[in-house]
Amino acid sequence: SYIEQSIQNTDTDDQVIRAIAELDKNYVVRNGQPIGFEYDLIKRFAKVNDLRLDILVARDENEVSRWIKEGIGDIVMSQITERSNLSGQFAMSREYRHDIPVVISVVTNEVSNLGDLESKKIAVMARSNHSESLKALNDEVQIITMDARTPIGDAIADLRNGEFDGLVVSAKRVPKMLKANSDLRAGLSLPTRERFRWAVRTENTDLRASVENFLRQQYRSTDYNI
């Protein structure tokens, strides 16, 4: 847990790096423990640079933006895409991974092309950018917003029960999902390549250089792939 008022607005020293995360957006707590690719990556960054890692968990993107602007945190590890309000405001790192959203559906009611979207109910996770992408493809589509913490098994059960006609998931999850669920099909891909990057304040050139060097060395390395 964490209390914002207890954080002092001080410059980064040589021993602490304060990373800003947004809950359920590249940062997940499961069974009381933080997990996730970005969490592992920022931990490795801290270890490589001999820093203690403090993670500040923001409620939403507005709080993320305020904390980095005011110096409450040093680096944003929350998801930042081209559609994000944070994009363009701060110094952005190189892309360290990307993702493509895909609509999955049951085989008896496939959503495989643009025409299939019309009047269909498509579920997206809260605080994602997928609603805008779907509306851009077909403004007749009905968006169902799900809690970002909904287990994928529960979401698939709702899909099977007809609560909605399609579910937007990461393309990286599709092969495993289809292998475990023979009645599902992967259909339409959204024209949104989500590029994952970190952000720091523009004037913090030393930190930006360290981040760039770290990501360049880690990208597609053995540890990264694992």
Side-chain angles (χ1 to χ4, degrees):
S1 63
Y2 137 81
I3 301 174
E4 179 183 346
Q5 289 77 6
S6 70
I7 297 176
Q8 299 300 311
N9 185 5
T10 58
D11 293 332
T12 305
D13 58 28
D14 294 331
Q15 299 167 330
V16 181
I17 184 72
R18 298 163 299 177
I20 303 172
E22 189 177 340
L23 191 62
D24 301 320
K25 205 170 185 183
N26 287 18
Y27 182 78
V28 180
V29 177
R30 186 171 298 164
N31 298 325
Q33 296 296 321
I35 61 171
F37 181 82
E38 281 69 26
Y39 176 67
D40 287 341
L41 199 60
I42 197 72
K43 278 202 307 180
R44 182 164 293 276
F45 175 76
K47 182 177 181 180
V48 166
N49 290 281
D50 197 25
L51 301 169
R52 191 188 83 223
L53 174 63
D54 288 348
I55 295 184
L56 318 179
V57 184
R59 287 178 284 266
D60 52 40
E61 191 170 270
N62 290 332
E63 198 161 57
V64 170
S65 178
R66 181 169 64 82
W67 286 355
I68 188 70
K69 284 179 179 177
E70 295 179 0
I72 292 173
D74 307 302
I75 185 169
V76 177
M77 57 173 277
S78 179
Q79 178 179 336
I80 299 174
T81 67
E82 284 81 353
R83 291 176 178 268
S84 169
N85 292 329
L86 295 175
S87 182
Q89 292 189 46
F90 308 102
M92 310 297 294
S93 76
R94 64 177 54 224
E95 175 185 333
Y96 61 87
R97 76 180 179 97
H98 68 268
D99 204 359
I100 301 292
V102 175
V103 180
I104 64 167
S105 54
V106 295
V107 66
T108 54
N109 184 28
E110 289 192 37
V111 180
S112 57
N113 56 61
L114 292 177
D116 291 340
L117 283 178
E118 189 165 347
S119 300
K120 290 290 180 66
K121 295 179 180 178
I122 307 296
V124 302
M125 294 302 176
R127 294 187 289 175
S128 72
N129 301 308
H130 301 152
S131 297
E132 294 87 342
S133 297
L134 284 166
K135 286 292 185 181
L137 291 173
N138 190 320
D139 60 8
E140 297 297 320
V141 66
Q142 301 178 49
I143 306 296
I144 306 296
T145 302
M146 303 188 70
D147 190 309
R149 288 165 289 185
T150 302
I152 191 64
D154 292 352
I156 290 174
D158 288 344
L159 177 63
R160 285 198 180 104
N161 292 333
E163 298 293 327
F164 38 80
D165 304 296
L167 173 66
V168 178
V169 299
S170 162
K172 297 180 185 298
R173 305 182 73 167
V174 169
K176 186 176 181 179
M177 291 176 64
L178 297 188
K179 185 176 181 179
N181 303 276
S182 60
D183 59 329
L184 300 184
R185 292 291 182 271
L188 189 69
S189 296
L190 304 189
T192 304
R193 174 169 164 148
E194 297 188 341
R195 294 173 170 85
F196 291 73
R197 300 172 294 173
W198 288 348
V200 301
R201 287 183 295 283
T202 305
E203 65 272 17
N204 203 339
T205 54
D206 288 346
L207 178 57
R208 183 181 185 184
S210 294
V211 167
E212 285 294 298
N213 183 57
F214 169 78
L215 293 177
R216 183 172 59 251
Q217 292 179 351
Q218 289 292 315
Y219 187 70
R220 299 302 186 193
S221 67
T222 301
D223 289 338
Y224 174 100
N225 291 334
I226 291 174

